Amino acid sequence: TSIEQQTKAKLNMCLQRFYVSVRQTSGELFKVSSLKAIRVAIDRYLKQAPIDKLWSIVGDYEFKKANDMLNAVCKNRHSWECM
């Protein structure tokens, strides 16, 4: 099922896995700012025509687990970037 067709619950699960596993084409990890920009870009894509989702992967409660996962990944990555 494409991202446009996912239920909120399924997309929430997919985003959790995505945030943990996404890498640059070189295999390197994305920086924290890049991960958050990717999330905003996905959210914007889903809100634009012709998809026109009325909900947000950034702020809606149904995506809390995905956002908690992203925050945990960012916290871990931020610690690593500061070394």
Side-chain angles (χ1 to χ4, degrees):
T1 306
S2 67
I3 190 172
E4 299 89 348
Q5 306 294 321
Q6 298 280 338
T7 64
K8 289 181 187 181
K10 178 71 173 170
L11 183 55
N12 184 50
M13 289 176 20
C14 290
L15 287 170
Q16 289 176 65
R17 289 192 301 265
F18 173 76
Y19 294 144
V20 171
S21 63
V22 67
R23 301 284 188 273
Q24 297 181 46
T25 54
S26 65
E28 293 182 44
L29 298 172
F30 280 100
K31 291 185 177 183
V32 169
S33 59
S34 297
L35 285 172
K36 292 189 176 187
I38 290 168
R39 178 181 62 171
V40 170
I42 294 169
D43 193 56
R44 186 176 342 144
Y45 171 75
L46 291 170
K47 289 180 177 182
Q48 290 178 353
I51 303 164
D52 294 323
K53 297 291 185 189
L54 300 176
W55 39 263
S56 171
I57 67 168
V58 175
D60 284 15
Y61 182 78
E62 290 88 352
F63 295 96
K64 183 178 181 333
K65 287 185 179 181
N67 288 312
D68 286 349
M69 180 64 72
L70 177 62
N71 290 333
V73 167
C74 288
K75 183 177 179 182
N76 184 29
R77 197 120 345 137
H78 181 70
S79 298
W80 176 77
E81 288 175 6
C82 292
M83 293 180 156

